[in-house]
PDB file of all heavy atoms in Angstrom:
ATOM      1  N   ALA A  34      13.995   2.037  15.715  1.00 94.00           N
ATOM      2  CA  ALA A  34      15.097   2.994  15.725  1.00 94.00           C
ATOM      3  C   ALA A  34      14.948   3.996  14.591  1.00 94.00           C
ATOM      4  O   ALA A  34      15.113   5.205  14.784  1.00 94.00           O
ATOM      5  CB  ALA A  34      16.429   2.261  15.605  1.00 94.00           C
ATOM      6  N   GLY A  37      12.704   6.685  15.450  1.00 94.00           N
ATOM      7  CA  GLY A  37      13.045   7.553  16.568  1.00 94.00           C
ATOM      8  C   GLY A  37      12.999   6.918  17.940  1.00 94.00           C
ATOM      9  O   GLY A  37      13.343   7.561  18.934  1.00 94.00           O
ATOM     10  N   GLN A  48      -1.894   9.624  23.633  1.00 92.00           N
ATOM     11  CA  GLN A  48      -3.200   8.986  23.789  1.00 92.00           C
ATOM     12  C   GLN A  48      -2.977   7.535  24.180  1.00 92.00           C
ATOM     13  O   GLN A  48      -2.104   6.858  23.633  1.00 92.00           O
ATOM     14  CB  GLN A  48      -3.983   9.043  22.472  1.00 92.00           C
ATOM     15  CG  GLN A  48      -5.444   8.739  22.646  1.00 92.00           C
ATOM     16  CD  GLN A  48      -6.209   8.747  21.328  1.00 92.00           C
ATOM     17  OE1 GLN A  48      -6.133   7.821  20.549  1.00 92.00           O
ATOM     18  NE2 GLN A  48      -6.953   9.821  21.080  1.00 92.00           N
ATOM     19  N   ARG A  52      -7.913  -0.023  24.917  1.00 81.00           N
ATOM     20  CA  ARG A  52      -7.869  -0.934  23.785  1.00 81.00           C
ATOM     21  C   ARG A  52      -7.248  -0.250  22.577  1.00 81.00           C
ATOM     22  O   ARG A  52      -7.247   0.959  22.497  1.00 81.00           O
ATOM     23  CB  ARG A  52      -9.295  -1.379  23.400  1.00 81.00           C
ATOM     24  CG  ARG A  52      -9.913  -2.294  24.412  1.00 81.00           C
ATOM     25  CD  ARG A  52     -11.421  -2.505  24.243  1.00 81.00           C
ATOM     26  NE  ARG A  52     -12.103  -1.731  23.246  1.00 81.00           N
ATOM     27  CZ  ARG A  52     -12.414  -2.181  22.042  1.00 81.00           C
ATOM     28  NH1 ARG A  52     -12.055  -3.371  21.662  1.00 81.00           N
ATOM     29  NH2 ARG A  52     -13.088  -1.435  21.198  1.00 81.00           N
ATOM     30  N   LEU A  56      -0.743   6.410  21.053  1.00 94.00           N
ATOM     31  CA  LEU A  56      -0.087   7.473  20.312  1.00 94.00           C
ATOM     32  C   LEU A  56       0.997   8.080  21.188  1.00 94.00           C
ATOM     33  O   LEU A  56       0.739   8.441  22.328  1.00 94.00           O
ATOM     34  CB  LEU A  56      -1.148   8.528  19.980  1.00 94.00           C
ATOM     35  CG  LEU A  56      -0.909   9.425  18.790  1.00 94.00           C
ATOM     36  CD1 LEU A  56      -0.848   8.606  17.525  1.00 94.00           C
ATOM     37  CD2 LEU A  56      -2.050  10.433  18.703  1.00 94.00           C
ATOM     38  N   ASP A  61       9.899  15.139  17.912  1.00 84.00           N
ATOM     39  CA  ASP A  61       9.027  15.982  17.097  1.00 84.00           C
ATOM     40  C   ASP A  61       8.125  15.195  16.145  1.00 84.00           C
ATOM     41  O   ASP A  61       7.642  15.730  15.160  1.00 84.00           O
ATOM     42  CB  ASP A  61       9.840  16.974  16.244  1.00 84.00           C
ATOM     43  CG  ASP A  61      10.727  17.837  17.092  1.00 84.00           C
ATOM     44  OD1 ASP A  61      10.195  18.500  17.991  1.00 84.00           O
ATOM     45  OD2 ASP A  61      11.956  17.818  16.871  1.00 84.00           O
ATOM     46  N   THR A  62       7.943  13.923  16.417  1.00 89.00           N
ATOM     47  CA  THR A  62       7.117  13.103  15.543  1.00 89.00           C
ATOM     48  C   THR A  62       6.065  12.422  16.383  1.00 89.00           C
ATOM     49  O   THR A  62       6.348  11.989  17.492  1.00 89.00           O
ATOM     50  CB  THR A  62       7.976  11.991  14.898  1.00 89.00           C
ATOM     51  OG1 THR A  62       9.098  12.591  14.298  1.00 89.00           O
ATOM     52  CG2 THR A  62       7.182  11.228  13.867  1.00 89.00           C
ATOM     53  N   ARG A  63       4.844  12.330  15.833  1.00 91.00           N
ATOM     54  CA  ARG A  63       3.890  11.499  16.549  1.00 91.00           C
ATOM     55  C   ARG A  63       3.798  10.148  15.862  1.00 91.00           C
ATOM     56  O   ARG A  63       3.702  10.064  14.656  1.00 91.00           O
ATOM     57  CB  ARG A  63       2.530  12.079  16.636  1.00 91.00           C
ATOM     58  CG  ARG A  63       1.930  13.044  16.275  1.00 91.00           C
ATOM     59  CD  ARG A  63       1.379  14.075  15.562  1.00 91.00           C
ATOM     60  NE  ARG A  63       1.937  15.339  15.957  1.00 91.00           N
ATOM     61  CZ  ARG A  63       1.365  16.092  16.859  1.00 91.00           C
ATOM     62  NH1 ARG A  63       0.250  15.754  17.425  1.00 91.00           N
ATOM     63  NH2 ARG A  63       1.913  17.213  17.172  1.00 91.00           N
ATOM     64  N   ALA A  65       1.993   6.225  15.958  1.00 93.00           N
ATOM     65  CA  ALA A  65       0.991   5.289  16.444  1.00 93.00           C
ATOM     66  C   ALA A  65       1.692   3.956  16.636  1.00 93.00           C
ATOM     67  O   ALA A  65       2.476   3.536  15.797  1.00 93.00           O
ATOM     68  CB  ALA A  65      -0.136   5.154  15.431  1.00 93.00           C
ATOM     69  N   GLY A  67       1.110  -0.138  17.950  1.00 89.00           N
ATOM     70  CA  GLY A  67       0.188  -1.179  18.376  1.00 89.00           C
ATOM     71  C   GLY A  67       0.440  -1.532  19.831  1.00 89.00           C
ATOM     72  O   GLY A  67       1.529  -1.320  20.351  1.00 89.00           O
ATOM     73  N   GLU A  70       3.176  -3.998  20.322  1.00 91.00           N
ATOM     74  CA  GLU A  70       4.485  -3.377  20.135  1.00 91.00           C
ATOM     75  C   GLU A  70       4.873  -2.588  21.379  1.00 91.00           C
ATOM     76  O   GLU A  70       6.011  -2.653  21.833  1.00 91.00           O
ATOM     77  CB  GLU A  70       4.457  -2.448  18.912  1.00 91.00           C
ATOM     78  CG  GLU A  70       4.488  -3.152  17.567  1.00 91.00           C
ATOM     79  CD  GLU A  70       3.159  -3.803  17.190  1.00 91.00           C
ATOM     80  OE1 GLU A  70       2.129  -3.479  17.824  1.00 91.00           O
ATOM     81  OE2 GLU A  70       3.147  -4.642  16.276  1.00 91.00           O
TER      82      GLU A  70
ATOM     83  N   ARG B 107      15.107  12.869  13.700  1.00 94.00           N
ATOM     84  CA  ARG B 107      14.651  11.562  13.239  1.00 94.00           C
ATOM     85  C   ARG B 107      14.971  11.360  11.762  1.00 94.00           C
ATOM     86  O   ARG B 107      15.355  10.285  11.331  1.00 94.00           O
ATOM     87  CB  ARG B 107      13.145  11.429  13.461  1.00 94.00           C
ATOM     88  CG  ARG B 107      12.666  10.005  13.363  1.00 94.00           C
ATOM     89  CD  ARG B 107      11.226   9.944  12.961  1.00 94.00           C
ATOM     90  NE  ARG B 107      11.062  10.301  11.567  1.00 94.00           N
ATOM     91  CZ  ARG B 107      10.019  10.925  11.084  1.00 94.00           C
ATOM     92  NH1 ARG B 107       9.045  11.307  11.877  1.00 94.00           N
ATOM     93  NH2 ARG B 107       9.935  11.202   9.809  1.00 94.00           N
ATOM     94  N   TYR B 261      21.798   8.088  17.033  1.00 95.00           N
ATOM     95  CA  TYR B 261      21.108   9.294  17.505  1.00 95.00           C
ATOM     96  C   TYR B 261      22.047  10.182  18.310  1.00 95.00           C
ATOM     97  O   TYR B 261      21.918  11.407  18.287  1.00 95.00           O
ATOM     98  CB  TYR B 261      19.841   8.938  18.300  1.00 95.00           C
ATOM     99  CG  TYR B 261      18.699   8.585  17.382  1.00 95.00           C
ATOM    100  CD1 TYR B 261      18.308   7.273  17.191  1.00 95.00           C
ATOM    101  CD2 TYR B 261      18.042   9.586  16.672  1.00 95.00           C
ATOM    102  CE1 TYR B 261      17.280   6.956  16.317  1.00 95.00           C
ATOM    103  CE2 TYR B 261      17.015   9.275  15.793  1.00 95.00           C
ATOM    104  CZ  TYR B 261      16.637   7.955  15.623  1.00 95.00           C
ATOM    105  OH  TYR B 261      15.633   7.645  14.749  1.00 95.00           O
ATOM    106  N   ARG B 274      16.212  25.748  19.258  1.00 78.00           N
ATOM    107  CA  ARG B 274      14.769  25.531  19.427  1.00 78.00           C
ATOM    108  C   ARG B 274      14.355  25.986  20.815  1.00 78.00           C
ATOM    109  O   ARG B 274      14.980  25.652  21.808  1.00 78.00           O
ATOM    110  CB  ARG B 274      14.417  24.075  19.220  1.00 78.00           C
ATOM    111  CG  ARG B 274      15.148  23.118  20.158  1.00 78.00           C
ATOM    112  CD  ARG B 274      14.662  21.708  19.995  1.00 78.00           C
ATOM    113  NE  ARG B 274      15.087  21.140  18.731  1.00 78.00           N
ATOM    114  CZ  ARG B 274      14.260  20.523  17.891  1.00 78.00           C
ATOM    115  NH1 ARG B 274      12.997  20.418  18.158  1.00 78.00           N
ATOM    116  NH2 ARG B 274      14.721  19.995  16.795  1.00 78.00           N
ATOM    117  N   LEU B 291      -8.451  11.936  16.080  1.00 91.00           N
ATOM    118  CA  LEU B 291      -7.952  10.734  16.751  1.00 91.00           C
ATOM    119  C   LEU B 291      -8.792  10.336  17.955  1.00 91.00           C
ATOM    120  O   LEU B 291      -8.510   9.358  18.626  1.00 91.00           O
ATOM    121  CB  LEU B 291      -6.497  10.945  17.188  1.00 91.00           C
ATOM    122  CG  LEU B 291      -5.505  11.151  16.046  1.00 91.00           C
ATOM    123  CD1 LEU B 291      -4.122  11.439  16.594  1.00 91.00           C
ATOM    124  CD2 LEU B 291      -5.461   9.943  15.134  1.00 91.00           C
ATOM    125  N   TYR B 388      -5.426   4.855  12.056  1.00 92.00           N
ATOM    126  CA  TYR B 388      -5.243   4.737  13.506  1.00 92.00           C
ATOM    127  C   TYR B 388      -6.582   4.450  14.193  1.00 92.00           C
ATOM    128  O   TYR B 388      -6.695   3.572  15.040  1.00 92.00           O
ATOM    129  CB  TYR B 388      -4.635   6.040  14.039  1.00 92.00           C
ATOM    130  CG  TYR B 388      -4.505   6.105  15.540  1.00 92.00           C
ATOM    131  CD1 TYR B 388      -3.478   5.439  16.187  1.00 92.00           C
ATOM    132  CD2 TYR B 388      -5.413   6.840  16.305  1.00 92.00           C
ATOM    133  CE1 TYR B 388      -3.350   5.495  17.562  1.00 92.00           C
ATOM    134  CE2 TYR B 388      -5.293   6.902  17.685  1.00 92.00           C
ATOM    135  CZ  TYR B 388      -4.267   6.225  18.306  1.00 92.00           C
ATOM    136  OH  TYR B 388      -4.143   6.274  19.668  1.00 92.00           O
ATOM    137  N   ARG B 396      -8.037  -7.515  14.288  1.00 74.00           N
ATOM    138  CA  ARG B 396      -8.490  -8.887  14.543  1.00 74.00           C
ATOM    139  C   ARG B 396      -8.501  -9.729  13.285  1.00 74.00           C
ATOM    140  O   ARG B 396      -8.463 -10.946  13.350  1.00 74.00           O
ATOM    141  CB  ARG B 396      -9.895  -8.862  15.128  1.00 74.00           C
ATOM    142  CG  ARG B 396      -9.842  -8.246  16.477  1.00 74.00           C
ATOM    143  CD  ARG B 396     -11.178  -8.168  17.101  1.00 74.00           C
ATOM    144  NE  ARG B 396     -11.127  -7.105  18.078  1.00 74.00           N
ATOM    145  CZ  ARG B 396     -12.169  -6.514  18.587  1.00 74.00           C
ATOM    146  NH1 ARG B 396     -13.373  -6.885  18.221  1.00 74.00           N
ATOM    147  NH2 ARG B 396     -12.026  -5.561  19.464  1.00 74.00           N
ATOM    148  N   PHE B 494       4.799  -5.312  12.379  1.00 74.00           N
ATOM    149  CA  PHE B 494       4.683  -4.386  13.500  1.00 74.00           C
ATOM    150  C   PHE B 494       3.800  -3.214  13.103  1.00 74.00           C
ATOM    151  O   PHE B 494       3.907  -2.704  12.006  1.00 74.00           O
ATOM    152  CB  PHE B 494       6.061  -3.866  13.895  1.00 74.00           C
ATOM    153  CG  PHE B 494       7.098  -4.927  13.915  1.00 74.00           C
ATOM    154  CD1 PHE B 494       8.202  -4.862  13.081  1.00 74.00           C
ATOM    155  CD2 PHE B 494       6.974  -6.016  14.764  1.00 74.00           C
ATOM    156  CE1 PHE B 494       9.158  -5.851  13.101  1.00 74.00           C
ATOM    157  CE2 PHE B 494       7.927  -7.010  14.779  1.00 74.00           C
ATOM    158  CZ  PHE B 494       9.027  -6.927  13.947  1.00 74.00           C
ATOM    159  N   PHE B 495       2.943  -2.815  14.032  1.00 83.00           N
ATOM    160  CA  PHE B 495       2.141  -1.628  13.771  1.00 83.00           C
ATOM    161  C   PHE B 495       2.847  -0.422  14.368  1.00 83.00           C
ATOM    162  O   PHE B 495       2.743  -0.154  15.564  1.00 83.00           O
ATOM    163  CB  PHE B 495       0.730  -1.794  14.339  1.00 83.00           C
ATOM    164  CG  PHE B 495      -0.152  -0.600  14.079  1.00 83.00           C
ATOM    165  CD1 PHE B 495      -0.578  -0.317  12.800  1.00 83.00           C
ATOM    166  CD2 PHE B 495      -0.527   0.233  15.110  1.00 83.00           C
ATOM    167  CE1 PHE B 495      -1.374   0.784  12.547  1.00 83.00           C
ATOM    168  CE2 PHE B 495      -1.333   1.338  14.869  1.00 83.00           C
ATOM    169  CZ  PHE B 495      -1.750   1.608  13.589  1.00 83.00           C
ATOM    170  N   MET B 497       3.336   3.532  13.029  1.00 90.00           N
ATOM    171  CA  MET B 497       2.975   4.401  11.922  1.00 90.00           C
ATOM    172  C   MET B 497       3.167   5.849  12.312  1.00 90.00           C
ATOM    173  O   MET B 497       2.788   6.261  13.397  1.00 90.00           O
ATOM    174  CB  MET B 497       1.509   4.135  11.549  1.00 90.00           C
ATOM    175  CG  MET B 497       1.035   4.887  10.352  1.00 90.00           C
ATOM    176  SD  MET B 497      -0.640   4.390   9.900  1.00 90.00           S
ATOM    177  CE  MET B 497      -1.508   4.624  11.437  1.00 90.00           C
ATOM    178  N   MET B 499       2.329   9.726  12.268  1.00 91.00           N
ATOM    179  CA  MET B 499       1.209  10.628  11.988  1.00 91.00           C
ATOM    180  C   MET B 499       1.818  11.907  11.439  1.00 91.00           C
ATOM    181  O   MET B 499       2.323  12.728  12.207  1.00 91.00           O
ATOM    182  CB  MET B 499       0.451  10.980  13.272  1.00 91.00           C
ATOM    183  CG  MET B 499      -0.166   9.815  13.980  1.00 91.00           C
ATOM    184  SD  MET B 499      -1.707   9.388  13.189  1.00 91.00           S
ATOM    185  CE  MET B 499      -1.719   7.660  13.529  1.00 91.00           C
TER     186      MET B 499
END
Side-chain angles (χ1 to χ4, degrees):
Chain A
Q48 195 182 77
R52 290 167 354 99
L56 204 62
D61 303 304
T62 308
R63 2 49 249 266
E70 284 75 15
Chain B
R107 196 206 72 213
Y261 281 104
R274 58 175 71 230
L291 296 176
Y388 175 78
R396 293 179 204 162
F494 317 119
F495 181 70
M497 185 175 54
M499 299 279 150

